[in-house]
């Protein structure tokens, strides 16, 4: 019986001109967003590779100079584009894709596409994730709202129930029919997405992304299960199809527009973050409390000089066996590391607490849960941006220490200004970054999957309760 009901629902929906029109629009948007994501990924990946090679050549070919000048000359660290970012670009447009690595400063990321976007583009970027998270649920509502209410309006519900069909079987059959119709849209899109990933990233990286893809798919299926369950429940409860449609559209608006916006505002109000100006000013104030390696009369530099002479058992700077300039520069950097670590840790902790607030708000909006899970599996969430930022900062410190240690070791023997060359620049390794593995990401984001499963179970129970009250009379 359930299979026959599902087949009937599937056939009627597939023949419905309104569904075919809506399905064509959604399919075109989904495939177009995948194509745009694929092209953007290829372009950005090629630009990153070229820029990485160019900055390495610039570093190696910078010519002879003092190592501290080389530390100021610096280099760039480029954030790699993960393959699944073509499905969900996440926060990349707002966090930036490159960072300038130089002495004394832990710089902010540069090249944020959102800064160059038009006002219309900032209103909403067309991505596969946006289609999957907002438009497909709307299509489910348009498919499912008349499931019970429409038949009640037409008088066919009483006839079906009078034949002895149990409301629960009727609801399950209709849900399976809706799921089947959705499959007609999603299966071709998934095939297109896998082909896009394969051509953009290659077979090897594609295979390594399978656990992330599977988890993302489970999250979206649970999300659609929520909408099917809620739509069946509302349709069974509503007195007319119009009422069912209005209630479901209100749910879609609250889930997709109102609650996510409120959650962001509430999170910022509860856990505020400093402005870029005040953040930079606070860091500058504390940096000035450390050793000024460029000012010989600085009291902290003089105290350091006394400690170093005592350490080496000499009474005059001329008798030091090492270059004091390198020691002073590294001392200033070590103070800067402590300042940067404290301020950036507080900033990242504020972002993490804001994320906790939004995660709690997912109890009122499943979109927040599937959005967080989707970004995490795509490798484009704030946590993985922080992981890259930390790796880039560790690399900056490797560069600076290599330069300062070289001044300490060879600066004294030079007599005047110490000049180094390509041999020293080549000692600095290439910057390489490995994104967090699937297990590490999944261990952080499993609550999102649990919330979606909870939403799906609750909507199923709600639908079963609602249809159990449907009567033939």
């Amino acid at each position: 019986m359930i299979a026959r009901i599902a087949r009937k629902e599937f056939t009627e929906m597939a023949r419905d001109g309104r569904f075919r029109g809506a399905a064509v629009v959604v399919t075109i948007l989904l495939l177009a967003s995948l194509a745009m994501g694929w092209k953007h990924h290829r372009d950005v990946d090629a630009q990153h590779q070229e820029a990485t090679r160019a900055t390495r050549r610039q570093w190696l070919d910078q010519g002879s100079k003092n190592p501290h000048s080389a530390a100021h000359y610096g280099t760039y660290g480029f954030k790699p584009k993960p393959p699944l970012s073509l499905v969900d670009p996440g926060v990349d447009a707002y966090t930036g894709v490159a960072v300038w690595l130089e002495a004394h400063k832990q710089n902010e990321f540069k090249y944020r596409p959102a800064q160059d976007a038009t006002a219309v583009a900032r209103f909403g970027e067309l991505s596969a994730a946006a289609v999957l998270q907002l438009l497909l649920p709307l299509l489910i509502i348009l498919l499912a709202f008349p499931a019970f209410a429409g038949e009640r309006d037409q008088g066919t519900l009483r006839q079906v129930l009078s034949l002895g069909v149990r409301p629960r079987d009727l609801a399950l059959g209709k849900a399976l029919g809706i799921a089947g119709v959705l499959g007609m849209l999603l299966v071709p899109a998934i095939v297109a997405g896998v082909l896009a990933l394969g051509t953009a990233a290659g077979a090897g990286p594609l295979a390594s992304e399978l656990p992330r893809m599977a988890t993302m798919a489970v999250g979206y299926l649970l999300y659609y299960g929520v909408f099917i369950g809620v739509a069946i429940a509302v349709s069974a409860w509503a007195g007319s199809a119009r009422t069912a449609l209005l209630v479901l559209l209100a749910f879609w608006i609250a889930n997709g527009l109102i609650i996510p916006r409120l959650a962001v505002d509430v999170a910022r109000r509860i856990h505020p973050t400093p402005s870029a100006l005040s953040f930079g000013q606070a860091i500058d104030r504390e940096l000035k409390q450390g050793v000024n390696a460029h000012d010989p009369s600085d009291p902290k530099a003089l105290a350091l000089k006394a400690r170093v002479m005592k350490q080496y058992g000499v009474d005059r700077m001329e008798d030091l066996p090492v270059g004091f300039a390198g020691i002073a520069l590294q001392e200033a950097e070590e103070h800067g590391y402590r300042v940067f670590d404290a301020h950036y840790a507080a900033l990242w902790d504020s972002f993490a607490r804001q994320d906790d607030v939004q995660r709690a708000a997912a109890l009122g909006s499943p979109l927040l849960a599937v959005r967080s899970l989707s970004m995490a599996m795509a490798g484009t969430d704030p946590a993985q941006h922080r992981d890259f930022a930390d790796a880039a900062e560790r690399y900056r410190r490797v560069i600076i220490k290599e330069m300062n240690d070289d001044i300490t070791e060879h600066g004294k023997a030079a007599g005047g200004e110490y000049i180094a060359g390509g041999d020293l620049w080549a000692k600095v390794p290439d910057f390489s970054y490995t994104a967090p593995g699937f297990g590490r990401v999944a261990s952080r984001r499993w609550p999102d999957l649990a919330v979606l499963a909870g939403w799906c179970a609750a909507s199923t129970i709600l639908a079963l309760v609602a249809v159990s009250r449907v009567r033939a009379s």
Side-chain angles (χ1 to χ4, degrees):
M1 177 61 71
I2 295 174
R4 279 188 286 180
I5 296 172
R7 190 161 51 246
K8 169 185 170 295
E9 289 293 319
F10 179 86
T11 303
E12 289 183 351
M13 290 181 189
R15 290 176 177 174
D16 190 329
R18 292 170 298 180
F19 162 72
R20 289 202 296 266
V24 167
V25 172
V26 172
T27 302
I28 289 175
L29 288 174
L30 187 55
L31 294 179
S33 60
L34 282 172
M36 291 166 59
W38 172 79
K39 185 177 185 307
H40 181 70
H41 181 278
R42 284 196 60 177
D43 292 347
V44 171
D45 191 52
Q47 291 168 5
H48 279 194
Q49 291 182 25
E50 176 56 32
T52 300
R53 288 192 293 268
T55 54
R56 182 63 180 174
R57 285 196 303 270
Q58 289 174 353
W59 172 260
L60 294 175
D61 298 339
Q62 61 182 299
S64 299
K65 62 179 65 169
N66 183 271
H68 189 60
S69 297
H72 278 290
Y73 184 76
T75 187
Y76 269 105
F78 296 97
K79 187 164 69 173
K81 200 79 174 166
L84 279 172
S85 65
L86 69 85
V87 176
D88 194 336
V91 298
D92 278 358
Y94 303 92
T95 55
V97 297
V99 60
W100 179 245
L101 309 172
E102 61 174 329
H104 308 317
K105 295 180 181 178
Q106 182 174 349
N107 291 315
E108 295 181 0
F109 275 65
K110 298 181 177 180
Y111 307 119
R112 303 171 185 173
Q115 289 179 327
D116 302 324
T118 63
V120 174
R122 292 183 186 186
F123 181 75
E125 181 184 359
L126 177 62
S127 66
V131 176
L132 293 172
Q133 292 167 16
L134 290 174
L135 295 187
L136 269 180
L138 182 61
L139 182 61
I140 292 173
I141 288 175
L142 296 178
L143 287 173
F145 83 91
F148 280 87
E151 295 215 28
R152 185 181 290 117
D153 289 349
Q154 297 169 5
T156 54
L157 181 61
R158 179 184 300 176
Q159 295 175 7
V160 172
L161 296 178
S162 64
L163 294 174
V165 177
R166 295 187 302 175
R168 188 175 62 182
D169 293 345
L170 188 60
L172 186 56
K174 288 179 177 293
L176 290 175
I178 296 168
V181 169
L182 279 180
M184 287 176 57
L185 300 179
L186 289 176
V187 170
I190 291 173
V191 172
V194 171
L195 290 175
L197 282 170
T199 55
L206 177 63
S208 66
E209 293 291 313
L210 286 178
R212 287 174 178 259
M213 294 168 60
T215 306
M216 185 186 287
V218 170
Y220 278 110
L221 289 177
L222 288 171
Y223 184 57
Y224 300 144
V226 172
F227 275 87
I228 293 175
V230 170
I232 293 290
V234 172
S235 184
W237 164 80
S240 67
R242 176 179 295 180
T243 302
L245 180 59
L246 290 176
V247 172
L248 288 170
L249 287 178
F251 174 70
W252 180 79
I253 292 172
N255 171 70
L257 303 176
I258 298 176
I259 296 178
R261 184 67 254 178
L262 286 176
V264 171
D265 291 341
V266 170
R268 287 178 177 172
R269 178 65 63 91
I270 297 175
H271 302 293
T273 53
S275 66
L277 179 62
S278 62
F279 183 74
Q281 289 175 338
I283 288 178
D284 287 341
R285 281 195 300 271
E286 294 192 26
L287 287 177
K288 291 177 181 175
Q289 297 174 11
V291 172
N292 185 346
H294 298 291
D295 182 4
S297 63
D298 176 60
K300 291 186 175 61
L302 293 174
L304 175 64
K305 193 177 295 183
R307 287 203 310 273
V308 172
M309 287 193 294
K310 182 178 180 181
Q311 177 186 347
Y312 284 93
V314 298
D315 297 325
R316 300 186 311 158
M317 287 294 293
E318 292 79 1
D319 297 331
L320 273 179
V322 295
F324 175 74
I327 296 175
L329 287 168
Q330 188 59 31
E331 181 75 10
E333 292 291 343
E334 296 290 343
H335 172 74
Y337 296 162
R338 291 189 291 273
V339 172
F340 290 129
D341 288 345
H343 282 271
Y344 275 95
L347 182 65
W348 286 116
D349 286 346
S350 295
F351 289 145
R353 286 193 291 272
Q354 290 181 356
D355 183 65
D356 290 340
V357 172
Q358 295 189 51
R359 184 178 290 182
L363 296 174
S365 167
L367 172 71
L368 290 170
V370 77
R371 188 172 66 185
S372 295
L373 181 69
S374 178
M375 284 194 299
M377 291 303 119
T380 56
D381 64 340
Q384 289 172 84
H385 175 73
R386 177 182 183 176
D387 189 81
F388 175 80
D390 290 344
E393 174 60 14
R394 288 194 296 272
Y395 180 68
R396 183 183 78 87
R397 297 180 184 186
V398 168
I399 297 173
I400 305 306
K401 192 170 189 313
E402 187 72 48
M403 298 299 105
N404 291 339
D405 286 351
D406 189 74
I407 295 173
T408 303
E409 183 177 354
H410 301 107
K412 180 70 177 180
E417 183 183 14
Y418 171 53
I419 301 297
D423 292 344
L424 176 59
W425 321 144
K427 288 182 180 178
V428 176
D430 283 334
F431 176 50
S432 64
Y433 170 71
T434 302
F438 168 74
R440 185 175 159 195
V441 176
S443 67
R444 284 200 301 248
R445 304 315 304 192
W446 69 265
D448 298 323
L449 208 54
V451 168
L452 287 170
W455 261 100
C456 193
S459 67
T460 301
I461 294 171
L462 186 66
L464 292 175
V465 171
V467 299
S468 68
R469 296 180 179 179
V470 174
R471 298 289 182 268
S473 57

